[in-house]
Amino acid sequence: MAVKKPKKSKEDIQKYKRKHRIEIVLNDFEMQAFVNYCNKYRVTNKAKFIREAVMTTVLKKFDEDYPTLFDIPSR
């Protein structure tokens, strides 16, 4: 039995529509490594994979840089 997803409003569709493009350039070795990774781990949606990898890194860094009440000395 399939579960129906709630319908998205027009505001939600516009709010989350991807409209900003970022381009990257890879050298031959980087591109081959990326292709090999995608083949090995059966990545079918490369744009989604790159987007999730970048946003995971960004959010992790934001979490690490979040101000704390007491500074923890670094070693």
Side-chain angles (χ1 to χ4, degrees):
M1 186 168 152
V3 177
K4 291 184 178 181
K5 294 181 181 178
K7 297 215 177 203
K8 294 179 183 176
S9 68
K10 288 184 179 182
E11 294 87 22
D12 285 342
I13 292 170
Q14 288 299 318
K15 184 177 178 182
Y16 294 109
K17 183 176 179 180
R18 293 185 183 99
K19 55 189 172 187
H20 302 284
R21 179 178 299 272
I22 297 176
E23 294 183 25
I24 62 169
V25 180
L26 303 176
N27 65 31
D28 292 337
F29 299 112
E30 293 167 335
M31 187 62 190
Q32 191 58 50
F34 180 69
V35 169
N36 290 343
Y37 182 94
C38 291
N39 290 337
K40 181 176 180 179
Y41 295 104
R42 298 182 178 150
V43 176
T44 56
N45 189 336
K46 293 177 178 91
K48 178 181 176 187
F49 171 74
I50 293 170
R51 190 170 46 250
E52 287 176 351
V54 168
M55 291 311 299
T56 299
T57 303
V58 168
L59 294 175
K60 182 179 175 184
K61 187 65 175 171
F62 278 160
D63 190 42
E64 291 171 0
D65 292 346
Y66 191 77
T68 58
L69 183 59
F70 301 103
D71 288 333
I72 300 171
S74 59
R75 295 180 183 200

